[in-house]
Structures are given as C-alpha cells and as structure tokens.
Amino acid sequence: MLRFDDLQLFVRAADLGSLSAAARGMDMSAAVASAALKRIEQQLGARLLARSTRSLRLTAEGEGFVEYARAALSNLDEGRRLLAGSQDQVSGILQLSAPSDFGRNLLLPWLDEFQREHPGLTVRLLLGDRIADLFRQPVDIALRYGEPEDSSLVALPIAPQNRRVLCAAPSYLARQGEPRQLEQLAQHNCLLFMLGSRVHDHWSFHDGKREVSLTVSGDRFSDDADVVRLWAVAGAGIAYKSWLDVAPDVLAGRLKVLIPELQCERAPLNLLCAHRAHLSKPVNLLREMLVSRCASSSSQFPTFSGEGH
C-alpha cells in the first residue's frame, strides 16, 4: 500500500525539481527521502523520476502518475477538513436511553431546549428502567441511577449527590396520617417499584448514627418508575423516590417529603457509554447541560446541599 508521506514527497519533488529541496521542506534527511522514493517506485513497478547530479525530471510514467497522486492527496485533505468540521458542529444523530420517570418529566423539556439551541441535531430517545445493553442496543449513551454494575462501561457523574426521599401526597396524609418514625411505615401502603422479577421493598436509611433498614409492603407494584410517582401524586400511598424525579411535585405541593431528618439511600445519576469514542461534542454539551440542571434541582432541597448527605 502506498504511504501518504511517500506520495507527498514525490509530488513535492516533481513540483520543485529537486529531491533534496522536497526533503528539506518535509523535515527529513536526503537518505530518508531517497529511500521513500525508491519504495514508491518499487511498489508501482515503474521509475517516476529521472535523476542526475544536477537535475531531476519526471519520466513518462511519472508524468502519467503525478496527477493521480495530486488528486489523491487533495481528496485526503478535503476528507480531513470535512471530518474536522463535523467534529466542531453539533449535528447528526444523538441516541440515548434514560429512566422512564426522569426521561418523561425532566429530560424531555431539557432536550427540547437543547435541540432549539442546536437545530442540526436529531435525537433518538429510548425510555425504560431496564439497564440498556450499550454493546447491543442502538444507543450511544445511557442515563442511569446507581453505580454501574458493569465495570467495563465509562461512567461520568451527572448528579453524584442525588438521594431518594420518602414522599406522599397531602390527600393520602389527610386520610391515613403522616408517619413520624420509620416503624410507622408498617401501617402504611407503600408503592413499590420492580425491576424484572425483583421487587424493591427493602428500604434503607441513616438516622445520623446508624443505618436502618426495613421491609415494606403495599398493594401496588410497577416496573415503570413514572407509574409509581403518578400513584403517589394521586394519593395511593407512600413512595421512596429519587429526589430528581419528585422535586417538581414537592416544590408544587403535590407531594410532601416525610421524616426529612433521615438521610435516605444514594441514587447518583450517571451518564454511561461503552467507549470514550462515543463522547462526541453533542454528548459533552448535553452532559454539561444535565449537570447544571440537576445541580439546580438538587440545591432546592437542603438534604442535598453538603457532601455528608
């Protein structure tokens, strides 16, 4: 296969009429230049340049080949410029996966704004709470709560201090009373999220001195986290949800945080990808926006204001 630098040397030597001048222009020694020219002539099976002690000229074969060499180098340069330009532009298709609740209620309006800022970008969004197989599914990145189980994935923090909160609608609390201690959850209807066949009915907390865990129960289960939130807003029971997912409902008064002095489970939000090559300019810009928006949301609840939480 012909080497790019060998072609460059041949074209420069033909233009300058001097192999040594071409070598100096490419910052190589005369010996290296002579070896390069010999290599390209051997690969082509033809003599391209006729050399004497004082001059250098193209042979008939060289005359016929030089224009093809120029065209090849020009096409390669054009390809480089095109690639560099595309890397600077925010365009193309951005394929991502996100949790159902976060995706529908927070990410969707943020993506709308992101696309208004970058109209050349096409978004393909897959919503669901199952872990996306980034090596098989048609997505570049995934947003997921919790620490990634697959250590081979690249994980970049979006909301590292995010935690769960206990919450319920005022209508439910008016009917059933507000629990003041964790033990009282046994007398309440807890809304449960399930992933596959696993029901998340084991809730953990920290009271400032020790970790406290308990198993809860209720009459509603769903594998869609947004459904669990909607049940809570409708007054069906108590939910144990990521603060990011319920922050708009809490701030609007649709849900109330219960036993706020407790430190609840961590629920860090991460951006995952299979390879760092997927961290394109659109992905990095999206990540910057998500970090900023999630930080603003988290700052609205005092529990998330410090490292100790």
Side-chain angles (χ1 to χ4, degrees), residues 4 8 74-87:
F4 178 74
Q8 282 185 311
S74 176
N75 286 336
L76 285 171
D77 285 340
E78 181 64 26
R80 284 180 175 179
R81 287 193 293 272
L82 181 65
L83 184 59
S86 67
Q87 290 172 341

Side-chain angles (χ1 to χ4, degrees), residues 159-210:
Q161 302 304 320
N162 184 54
R163 289 186 180 272
R164 296 184 181 277
V165 292
L166 273 175
C167 57
S171 60
Y172 174 85
L173 300 175
R175 293 194 318 271
Q176 303 296 331
E178 182 175 342
R180 303 294 181 181
Q181 297 178 333
L182 282 179
E183 293 75 14
Q184 294 176 331
L185 289 179
Q187 283 78 53
H188 286 270
N189 191 44
C190 294
L191 306 170
L192 300 175
F193 173 68
M194 55 190 295
L195 190 59
S197 59
R198 181 188 172 196
V199 177
H200 289 258
D201 58 356
H202 192 72
W203 295 355
S204 297
F205 308 85
H206 202 285
D207 63 5
K209 297 180 181 178
R210 61 190 177 92

Side-chain angles (χ1 to χ4, degrees), residues 3 9 13 22 49 96 105 123 126 140 154 159 169 190 213 281 292:
R3 288 173 44 167
L9 176 70
L49 295 170
L96 69 155
N105 302 300
V123 170
L126 302 180
D140 301 317
V154 177
C190 294
S213 298
K281 184 170 184 179
S292 174

Side-chain angles (χ1 to χ4, degrees), residues 91 115 227:
S91 60
Q115 285 188 277
V227 170

Side-chain angles (χ1 to χ4, degrees), residues 85-113:
S86 67
Q87 290 172 341
D88 290 336
Q89 296 172 2
V90 182
S91 60
I93 300 175
L94 176 62
Q95 303 179 113
L96 69 155
S97 168
S100 60
D101 200 341
F102 178 84
R104 289 189 184 102
N105 302 300
L106 291 178
L107 184 60
L108 274 181
W110 294 348
L111 283 177
D112 287 342
E113 182 177 338

Side-chain angles (χ1 to χ4, degrees), residues 108-166:
L108 274 181
W110 294 348
L111 283 177
D112 287 342
E113 182 177 338
F114 191 66
Q115 285 188 277
R116 284 194 294 270
E117 293 178 3
H118 308 291
L121 190 67
T122 298
V123 170
R124 176 176 180 173
L125 177 63
L126 302 180
L127 295 181
D129 295 300
R130 293 183 181 275
I131 302 300
D133 187 338
L134 294 175
F135 295 98
R136 294 187 178 183
Q137 290 191 348
V139 295
D140 301 317
I141 59 172
L143 296 168
R144 284 293 177 265
Y145 286 119
E147 302 297 342
E149 296 181 1
D150 188 344
S151 60
S152 68
L153 295 176
V154 177
L156 302 177
I158 298 296
Q161 302 304 320
N162 184 54
R163 289 186 180 272
R164 296 184 181 277
V165 292
L166 273 175

